[in-house]
Short mmCIF file of all heavy atoms in Angstrom, two decimals:
data_model
loop_
_atom_site.label_atom_id
_atom_site.label_comp_id
_atom_site.label_asym_id
_atom_site.label_seq_id
_atom_site.Cartn_x
_atom_site.Cartn_y
_atom_site.Cartn_z
N GLU A 109 -2.40 34.93 -56.73
CA GLU A 109 -3.46 35.83 -57.28
C GLU A 109 -4.97 35.36 -57.02
O GLU A 109 -5.85 36.22 -57.35
CB GLU A 109 -3.22 35.98 -58.87
CG GLU A 109 -1.92 36.63 -59.12
CD GLU A 109 -1.52 36.80 -60.50
OE1 GLU A 109 -2.31 36.42 -61.33
OE2 GLU A 109 -0.38 37.20 -60.86
N ILE A 110 -5.20 34.19 -56.63
CA ILE A 110 -6.61 33.80 -56.43
C ILE A 110 -7.07 34.45 -55.07
O ILE A 110 -6.31 34.37 -54.08
CB ILE A 110 -6.69 32.22 -56.45
CG1 ILE A 110 -6.63 31.69 -57.82
CG2 ILE A 110 -8.08 31.81 -55.70
CD1 ILE A 110 -6.87 30.25 -58.03
N PRO A 111 -8.26 35.03 -54.93
CA PRO A 111 -8.77 35.57 -53.75
C PRO A 111 -9.24 34.51 -52.79
O PRO A 111 -10.35 34.24 -52.61
CB PRO A 111 -9.89 36.42 -54.12
CG PRO A 111 -10.31 35.93 -55.49
CD PRO A 111 -9.28 35.19 -56.13
N TRP A 112 -8.21 33.85 -52.10
CA TRP A 112 -8.58 32.64 -51.27
C TRP A 112 -9.28 33.16 -50.01
O TRP A 112 -8.99 34.26 -49.45
CB TRP A 112 -7.29 32.00 -50.77
CG TRP A 112 -6.40 31.40 -51.98
CD1 TRP A 112 -5.29 31.95 -52.40
CD2 TRP A 112 -6.75 30.23 -52.71
NE1 TRP A 112 -4.76 31.10 -53.45
CE2 TRP A 112 -5.70 30.08 -53.63
CE3 TRP A 112 -7.74 29.26 -52.64
CZ2 TRP A 112 -5.64 29.03 -54.58
CZ3 TRP A 112 -7.66 28.18 -53.53
CH2 TRP A 112 -6.66 28.14 -54.45
N ARG A 113 -10.39 32.34 -49.54
CA ARG A 113 -11.06 32.75 -48.32
C ARG A 113 -11.17 31.41 -47.53
O ARG A 113 -11.29 30.35 -48.12
CB ARG A 113 -12.48 33.28 -48.71
CG ARG A 113 -12.51 34.51 -49.52
CD ARG A 113 -12.57 35.70 -48.52
NE ARG A 113 -12.51 36.99 -49.42
CZ ARG A 113 -11.46 37.56 -49.98
NH1 ARG A 113 -10.29 36.91 -49.87
NH2 ARG A 113 -11.50 38.60 -50.69
N GLN A 114 -11.48 31.59 -46.25
CA GLN A 114 -11.84 30.44 -45.51
C GLN A 114 -13.33 30.37 -45.22
O GLN A 114 -13.99 31.38 -44.85
CB GLN A 114 -11.18 30.44 -44.07
CG GLN A 114 -11.35 29.17 -43.31
CD GLN A 114 -10.30 28.96 -42.21
OE1 GLN A 114 -9.77 29.79 -41.65
NE2 GLN A 114 -9.99 27.67 -41.94
N LYS A 115 -13.99 29.25 -45.59
CA LYS A 115 -15.42 29.12 -45.58
C LYS A 115 -15.88 28.72 -44.16
O LYS A 115 -15.16 27.85 -43.55
CB LYS A 115 -15.76 28.05 -46.61
CG LYS A 115 -17.19 27.91 -46.96
CD LYS A 115 -17.20 27.06 -48.29
CE LYS A 115 -18.74 26.73 -48.61
NZ LYS A 115 -19.19 25.54 -48.03
N THR A 116 -16.97 29.18 -43.81
CA THR A 116 -17.58 28.67 -42.51
C THR A 116 -18.77 27.84 -42.84
O THR A 116 -19.74 28.20 -43.44
CB THR A 116 -18.08 29.93 -41.63
OG1 THR A 116 -16.99 30.73 -41.39
CG2 THR A 116 -18.67 29.36 -40.31
N ASN A 117 -18.69 26.51 -42.37
CA ASN A 117 -19.72 25.57 -42.70
C ASN A 117 -20.58 25.23 -41.48
O ASN A 117 -20.17 25.62 -40.36
CB ASN A 117 -19.02 24.24 -43.16
CG ASN A 117 -18.28 24.39 -44.46
OD1 ASN A 117 -18.64 25.29 -45.20
ND2 ASN A 117 -17.31 23.54 -44.70
N LEU A 118 -21.66 24.55 -41.73
CA LEU A 118 -22.48 24.14 -40.58
C LEU A 118 -22.60 22.66 -40.53
O LEU A 118 -23.07 22.08 -41.49
CB LEU A 118 -23.96 24.76 -40.78
CG LEU A 118 -24.99 24.58 -39.66
CD1 LEU A 118 -24.37 25.03 -38.31
CD2 LEU A 118 -26.26 25.38 -39.97
N GLY A 119 -22.15 22.03 -39.53
CA GLY A 119 -22.16 20.61 -39.32
C GLY A 119 -23.11 20.24 -38.21
O GLY A 119 -23.74 21.14 -37.56
N PRO A 120 -23.12 18.93 -37.83
CA PRO A 120 -24.09 18.47 -36.80
C PRO A 120 -23.76 19.12 -35.42
O PRO A 120 -24.63 19.29 -34.55
CB PRO A 120 -23.90 17.00 -36.69
CG PRO A 120 -22.87 16.60 -37.71
CD PRO A 120 -22.40 17.82 -38.44
N ASP A 121 -22.46 19.61 -35.18
CA ASP A 121 -22.11 20.14 -33.93
C ASP A 121 -21.99 21.68 -34.00
O ASP A 121 -21.44 22.34 -33.11
CB ASP A 121 -20.74 19.61 -33.47
CG ASP A 121 -20.73 18.13 -33.31
OD1 ASP A 121 -21.83 17.65 -32.87
OD2 ASP A 121 -19.77 17.47 -33.59
N GLY A 122 -22.61 22.26 -35.04
CA GLY A 122 -22.59 23.78 -35.12
C GLY A 122 -21.62 24.21 -36.29
O GLY A 122 -21.17 23.41 -37.06
N HIS A 123 -21.27 25.50 -36.17
CA HIS A 123 -20.44 26.09 -37.14
C HIS A 123 -19.00 25.79 -36.93
O HIS A 123 -18.57 25.52 -35.82
CB HIS A 123 -20.57 27.65 -37.13
CG HIS A 123 -21.91 28.15 -37.74
ND1 HIS A 123 -22.94 28.37 -36.86
CD2 HIS A 123 -22.36 28.25 -38.90
CE1 HIS A 123 -23.95 28.73 -37.66
NE2 HIS A 123 -23.62 28.74 -38.86
N TYR A 124 -18.29 25.58 -38.09
CA TYR A 124 -16.68 25.37 -38.00
C TYR A 124 -16.14 25.89 -39.25
O TYR A 124 -16.77 26.15 -40.28
CB TYR A 124 -16.51 23.82 -37.87
CG TYR A 124 -16.91 23.05 -39.11
CD1 TYR A 124 -15.91 22.75 -40.09
CD2 TYR A 124 -18.22 22.58 -39.39
CE1 TYR A 124 -16.29 21.98 -41.29
CE2 TYR A 124 -18.52 21.97 -40.54
CZ TYR A 124 -17.61 21.66 -41.48
OH TYR A 124 -17.91 20.96 -42.61
N GLN A 125 -14.91 26.22 -39.07
CA GLN A 125 -14.08 26.82 -40.25
C GLN A 125 -13.51 25.67 -41.01
O GLN A 125 -12.87 24.75 -40.44
CB GLN A 125 -12.93 27.62 -39.65
CG GLN A 125 -13.37 28.75 -38.71
CD GLN A 125 -13.44 30.05 -39.51
OE1 GLN A 125 -12.43 30.60 -39.92
NE2 GLN A 125 -14.65 30.42 -39.77
N GLU A 126 -13.78 25.66 -42.36
CA GLU A 126 -13.29 24.58 -43.13
C GLU A 126 -11.72 24.63 -43.08
O GLU A 126 -11.13 25.70 -43.34
CB GLU A 126 -13.74 24.77 -44.58
CG GLU A 126 -13.54 23.54 -45.42
CD GLU A 126 -14.32 23.76 -46.87
OE1 GLU A 126 -15.51 23.74 -46.85
OE2 GLU A 126 -13.64 23.78 -47.84
N PRO A 127 -11.09 23.44 -42.84
CA PRO A 127 -9.63 23.52 -42.73
C PRO A 127 -8.83 23.54 -44.04
O PRO A 127 -8.09 22.66 -44.36
CB PRO A 127 -9.33 22.24 -41.90
CG PRO A 127 -10.47 21.32 -42.25
CD PRO A 127 -11.65 22.12 -42.53
N ARG A 128 -9.17 24.52 -44.87
CA ARG A 128 -8.45 24.80 -46.12
C ARG A 128 -9.10 26.06 -46.68
O ARG A 128 -10.09 26.55 -46.14
CB ARG A 128 -8.64 23.72 -47.18
CG ARG A 128 -10.05 23.51 -47.59
CD ARG A 128 -10.22 22.45 -48.64
NE ARG A 128 -11.67 22.36 -49.02
CZ ARG A 128 -12.16 21.61 -49.91
NH1 ARG A 128 -11.38 20.65 -50.56
NH2 ARG A 128 -13.42 21.61 -50.31
N LEU A 129 -8.37 26.70 -47.67
CA LEU A 129 -8.99 27.93 -48.18
C LEU A 129 -9.55 27.52 -49.58
O LEU A 129 -9.11 26.62 -50.19
CB LEU A 129 -7.90 29.02 -48.33
CG LEU A 129 -7.12 29.39 -47.10
CD1 LEU A 129 -6.18 30.53 -47.44
CD2 LEU A 129 -8.09 29.75 -45.95
N THR A 130 -10.56 28.31 -49.97
CA THR A 130 -11.28 28.01 -51.21
C THR A 130 -11.62 29.28 -52.02
O THR A 130 -11.57 30.39 -51.48
CB THR A 130 -12.59 27.19 -50.98
OG1 THR A 130 -13.33 28.06 -50.02
CG2 THR A 130 -12.38 25.82 -50.36
N CYS A 131 -12.05 29.06 -53.20
CA CYS A 131 -12.56 30.10 -54.13
C CYS A 131 -13.39 29.51 -55.15
O CYS A 131 -13.05 28.51 -55.73
CB CYS A 131 -11.34 30.86 -54.79
SG CYS A 131 -11.91 32.24 -55.80
N TRP A 132 -14.63 30.06 -55.42
CA TRP A 132 -15.53 29.53 -56.33
C TRP A 132 -15.63 30.36 -57.61
O TRP A 132 -15.70 31.60 -57.53
CB TRP A 132 -16.98 29.51 -55.68
CG TRP A 132 -18.10 29.04 -56.48
CD1 TRP A 132 -19.13 29.75 -56.82
CD2 TRP A 132 -18.31 27.75 -57.10
NE1 TRP A 132 -20.04 29.02 -57.64
CE2 TRP A 132 -19.43 27.74 -57.81
CE3 TRP A 132 -17.57 26.51 -57.12
CZ2 TRP A 132 -19.91 26.70 -58.48
CZ3 TRP A 132 -17.99 25.41 -57.91
CH2 TRP A 132 -19.23 25.50 -58.55
N TYR A 133 -15.63 29.72 -58.80
CA TYR A 133 -15.91 30.40 -60.05
C TYR A 133 -17.01 29.74 -60.70
O TYR A 133 -17.10 28.48 -60.87
CB TYR A 133 -14.68 30.23 -60.97
CG TYR A 133 -13.46 31.06 -60.53
CD1 TYR A 133 -12.54 30.40 -59.68
CD2 TYR A 133 -13.22 32.36 -60.87
CE1 TYR A 133 -11.41 31.19 -59.14
CE2 TYR A 133 -12.22 33.07 -60.37
CZ TYR A 133 -11.29 32.51 -59.52
OH TYR A 133 -10.19 33.14 -59.08
N GLY A 134 -18.03 30.50 -61.17
CA GLY A 134 -19.18 29.98 -61.93
C GLY A 134 -20.24 30.96 -61.94
O GLY A 134 -20.30 31.92 -61.17
N GLU A 135 -21.22 30.75 -62.89
CA GLU A 135 -22.30 31.65 -63.03
C GLU A 135 -23.40 31.54 -61.93
O GLU A 135 -24.29 32.47 -61.71
CB GLU A 135 -23.09 31.38 -64.32
CG GLU A 135 -22.16 31.54 -65.64
CD GLU A 135 -21.91 33.04 -65.94
OE1 GLU A 135 -22.75 33.85 -65.53
OE2 GLU A 135 -20.84 33.28 -66.58
N ILE A 136 -23.42 30.44 -61.24
CA ILE A 136 -24.41 30.28 -60.19
C ILE A 136 -23.73 29.94 -58.78
O ILE A 136 -22.62 29.45 -58.81
CB ILE A 136 -25.50 29.21 -60.56
CG1 ILE A 136 -24.84 27.91 -60.95
CG2 ILE A 136 -26.40 29.67 -61.57
CD1 ILE A 136 -25.81 26.81 -61.38
N PRO A 137 -24.42 30.24 -57.67
CA PRO A 137 -23.82 30.03 -56.38
C PRO A 137 -23.66 28.46 -56.18
O PRO A 137 -24.30 27.72 -56.83
CB PRO A 137 -24.86 30.56 -55.47
CG PRO A 137 -25.90 31.20 -56.21
CD PRO A 137 -25.83 30.78 -57.53
N TYR A 138 -22.82 28.09 -55.29
CA TYR A 138 -22.55 26.67 -54.95
C TYR A 138 -22.67 26.50 -53.51
O TYR A 138 -22.05 27.18 -52.59
CB TYR A 138 -21.14 26.23 -55.37
CG TYR A 138 -20.80 24.84 -55.16
CD1 TYR A 138 -21.79 23.83 -55.36
CD2 TYR A 138 -19.52 24.37 -54.81
CE1 TYR A 138 -21.48 22.51 -55.23
CE2 TYR A 138 -19.27 23.07 -54.56
CZ TYR A 138 -20.21 22.08 -54.84
OH TYR A 138 -19.92 20.78 -54.65
N THR A 139 -23.61 25.57 -53.08
CA THR A 139 -23.77 25.30 -51.61
C THR A 139 -23.23 23.91 -51.26
O THR A 139 -23.65 22.95 -51.97
CB THR A 139 -25.33 25.37 -51.27
OG1 THR A 139 -25.72 26.78 -51.61
CG2 THR A 139 -25.62 25.14 -49.89
N TYR A 140 -22.51 23.77 -50.31
CA TYR A 140 -22.25 22.44 -49.72
C TYR A 140 -21.89 22.68 -48.21
O TYR A 140 -21.62 23.74 -47.83
CB TYR A 140 -21.06 21.74 -50.41
CG TYR A 140 -19.63 22.31 -50.23
CD1 TYR A 140 -18.83 22.00 -49.15
CD2 TYR A 140 -19.11 23.26 -51.12
CE1 TYR A 140 -17.52 22.49 -49.00
CE2 TYR A 140 -17.88 23.77 -50.98
CZ TYR A 140 -17.11 23.42 -49.89
OH TYR A 140 -15.85 23.95 -49.80
#
Side-chain angles (χ1 to χ4, degrees):
E109 296 177 8
I110 285 185
W112 300 106
R113 298 272 177 279
Q114 189 158 29
K115 192 167 173 272
T116 302
N117 295 336
L118 184 55
D121 304 324
H123 288 95
Y124 67 95
Q125 300 267 287
E126 192 170 298
R128 63 179 185 179
L129 305 184
T130 51
C131 181
W132 174 244
Y133 292 92
E135 297 287 335
I136 51 180
Y138 183 39
T139 300
Y140 70 88

